[in-house]
Amino acid sequence: MSLVPPATAVMRRRRTIVAALGVTQIMAWGSSYYLPAVIAPTVAAETGWPLAWVVGGLSLGLLIAGLISPYVGIAIEKRGGRNVLATSAFFIGAGQIGLAAAPNLIVYVAAWLVIGLGMGAGLYDAAFATLGRLYGHKARSAITSLTLFGGFASTICWPLSAFLMGEIGWRGTCLTYAAVQLLIALPLYLLILPRGVAGSAGQADQNMVMASTPRTRSTPVMVILAITITLAAVISSTLSVHLLTVLQSSGMALAAAVGLGALVGPSQVGARAVEMVIARHHHPIWTKVVSVGCVAIGVSALWMGMPIVPLALAFYGAGIGLESIARGTLPLALFGASGYARLMGRLAMPSLIAQAAAPSMGALLVEQAGAHGMLAVLSALALVNVVLVGGLALLLFRPGATGIESVS
């Protein structure tokens, strides 16, 4: 007979699940989204394949991820996230094997399409949906904790990929990541996540959330939310590729640009850590407001050429760090746990497609208008996002709005 109180056992189980998902998120991001930044130049040099196509494999993968995300949300809503996330590990692992064995560019690109299936079924949106399906309205703290893990993905996987590249080459690196997905991530999903989810997970708290608001009000709120998430994705994915170009355009040496660019990661993690401590005291809409405000300040400061570049990058990093949290917690607070996984799949679709296209559009802007011109466009988009999110907050908290005041 167990001497552990039921509540304590449940909390331990919850922590185990969040930790397992945190570890697998680091693996998933490192095996997919963050991989080309390290291996692409070597792949192009060794094979003779055009660098644009080598890097473009990720964009095509993100496009596939966006197209399947609504179906991923439906699957998680119906059956929970265990099998969906396990499938994601299988596809990412299989795609990595395809990359390692690719004899030509066609097979290489096809392997990225397979990895795209894994990204659509296994990155943040699917993990958030899984936590929402498991814990209902109480998933907010779990989602925040998960993003704290995810913030270390590039910090861990970029040096790891570089080390593996030096030891076993890019094909060996891909095989290593395949083994990580198939032998570590896949078993973790199957062993740690529960087989089923109670069908009433979101019903108990339905009267506490925005879902109780009349449907005519929910529709414009969801549209605005989708637009703001997509704009945030456009800005972050563009700068993730072109930030060094932006910094070097002002005459900065490459080493200095790399050193300053590295400030973005710690700023993300720091902002998420602060949010984890204070989250219970405010509604997630205010996390979103601070997020878009910080991004607008950071990008606009870079565009105006302000001398304190580290401060601008710190604001930007904090903003995109908080955006990851808001993108998971705000829909849960606004619409409730019932249908949350399905909603996350729908919201992810335009965001992932935008992430697929944004780096190429950014490159075109750099070519036509220079890095300063690209920053001007991104700054304008960031300010538009501030207006949209501010309008969303006013819509939700205006006199007579229902449902939101009871959500914390």
Side-chain angles (χ1 to χ4, degrees), residues 21 50 57 77 84 93 95 102 111 142 151 161 170 206 265 283 289 291 296 312 323 327 334 353 357 384 394 396:
L21 285 178
E77 185 68 33
V84 173
S161 297
W170 71 271
Q206 192 72 350
H283 189 277
V289 168
S291 167
E323 168 61 27
R327 126 183 226 163
L334 295 181
I353 292 174
V384 168
L394 290 175
L396 297 173

Side-chain angles (χ1 to χ4, degrees), residues 43-91:
V43 172
E46 289 187 5
T47 62
W49 303 335
L51 180 61
W53 276 102
V54 172
V55 176
L58 173 61
S59 293
L60 293 174
L62 286 169
L63 176 61
I64 295 297
L67 293 176
I68 70 166
S69 61
Y71 304 99
V72 170
I74 292 171
I76 295 175
E77 185 68 33
K78 289 181 177 179
R79 295 178 289 274
R82 177 179 180 269
N83 291 337
V84 173
L85 292 173
T87 301
S88 78
F90 172 80
F91 278 122

Side-chain angles (χ1 to χ4, degrees), residues 204-406:
D205 65 329
Q206 192 72 350
N207 62 342
M208 298 173 59
V209 293
M210 192 63 182
S212 61
T213 306
R215 187 172 299 176
T216 54
R217 186 177 299 169
S218 296
T219 300
V221 167
M222 188 171 71
V223 170
I224 295 172
L225 182 61
I227 294 172
T228 63
I229 290 174
T230 301
L231 286 177
V234 167
I235 295 168
S236 62
S237 58
T238 301
L239 279 181
S240 70
V241 174
H242 299 291
L243 180 59
L244 296 184
T245 300
V246 167
L247 295 177
Q248 288 180 276
S249 69
S250 61
M252 190 177 297
L254 175 60
V258 171
L260 284 175
L263 293 174
V264 174
S267 299
Q268 291 184 60
V269 175
R272 289 170 181 170
V274 171
E275 168 68 11
M276 187 167 62
V277 173
I278 67 175
R280 66 181 182 276
H281 301 299
H282 63 270
H283 189 277
I285 186 63
W286 303 119
T287 304
K288 181 73 173 177
V289 168
V290 173
S291 167
V292 296
C294 286
V295 169
I297 291 171
V299 177
S300 298
L302 287 174
W303 170 58
M304 290 185 292
M306 292 180 65
I308 311 178
V309 174
L311 187 60
L313 293 175
F315 269 104
Y316 167 72
I320 61 174
L322 292 175
E323 168 61 27
S324 297
I325 296 175
R327 126 183 226 163
T329 58
L330 186 53
L332 181 64
L334 295 181
F335 298 99
S338 179
Y340 172 72
R342 187 188 301 261
L343 175 62
M344 288 303 295
R346 293 171 64 187
L347 291 173
M349 185 178 183
S351 171
L352 288 168
I353 292 174
Q355 288 183 67
S360 297
M361 296 302 296
L364 182 62
L365 282 171
V366 170
E367 181 180 335
Q368 297 296 323
H372 190 260
M374 183 193 70
L375 279 178
V377 173
L378 294 182
S379 180
L381 292 178
L383 292 174
V384 168
N385 221 10
V386 169
V387 172
L388 286 173
V389 174
L392 181 60
L394 290 175
L395 177 65
L396 297 173
F397 281 94
R398 75 185 190 279
T402 60
I404 194 169
E405 291 84 2
S406 59

